[in-house]
Amino acid sequence: MSVSIYYGARRAQPLTDTESAAVERVVAERAKSFPYDDEESLYLYGGDDEDDEILAGSTKLPGDPGRWLPVTAHVLDSVTELRRTVGGAEWHVHVDDSDVPWDENEGYALPGMRDAALAAELGGLCGDPDEQLG
């Protein structure tokens, strides 16, 4: 079973050319700093003019629990940057059925997503199966 982060923004006015260029810059810069070449990162589908959707996307979280927190933090930081780039939109960000809260100072974040001890513990869940047996 996979878990994904979903993100989208709606407003009555479409993206301006300046906003579209800024979104493209954010996506390109965030792609360069993504920690894993073999995992999904920030992915935008594009907008749907019929229902005022100006941005939408999703990211499937990795199968390796040791990568969950770095990927989650990177994607939510990316969406935070997008939200701050595109003004006047109503945003919805969620992990499957659970909303990710917005904080004006921190942006989008989940409890523990920057906790090094938790990341190490999750990393220990996925290792060589022969070593775990014994």
Side-chain angles (χ1 to χ4, degrees), residues 113-130:
M113 83 177 190
R114 299 188 200 287
D115 184 329
L118 178 58
E121 186 176 331
L122 288 171
L125 294 176
C126 193
D128 184 348
D130 293 331

Side-chain angles (χ1 to χ4, degrees), residues 81-99:
E81 194 170 340
L82 287 172
R83 179 174 173 151
R84 291 181 172 149
T85 299
V86 177
E90 181 183 324
W91 285 80
H92 185 215
V93 178
H94 56 106
V95 177
D96 287 345
D97 294 331
S98 299
D99 288 341

Side-chain angles (χ1 to χ4, degrees), residues 13 22 24 58 75 94 96 103 117:
Q13 304 80 23
E24 288 177 21
S58 67
V75 170
H94 56 106
D96 287 345
D103 178 272

Side-chain angles (χ1 to χ4, degrees), residues 18 30 44 49 66 69 74-76 79-80 88-89 93-94 104 117:
T18 302
R30 297 301 295 174
L44 297 179
D49 294 334
L69 294 181
H74 192 276
V75 170
L76 292 180
V79 176
T80 294
V93 178
H94 56 106
E104 282 299 324

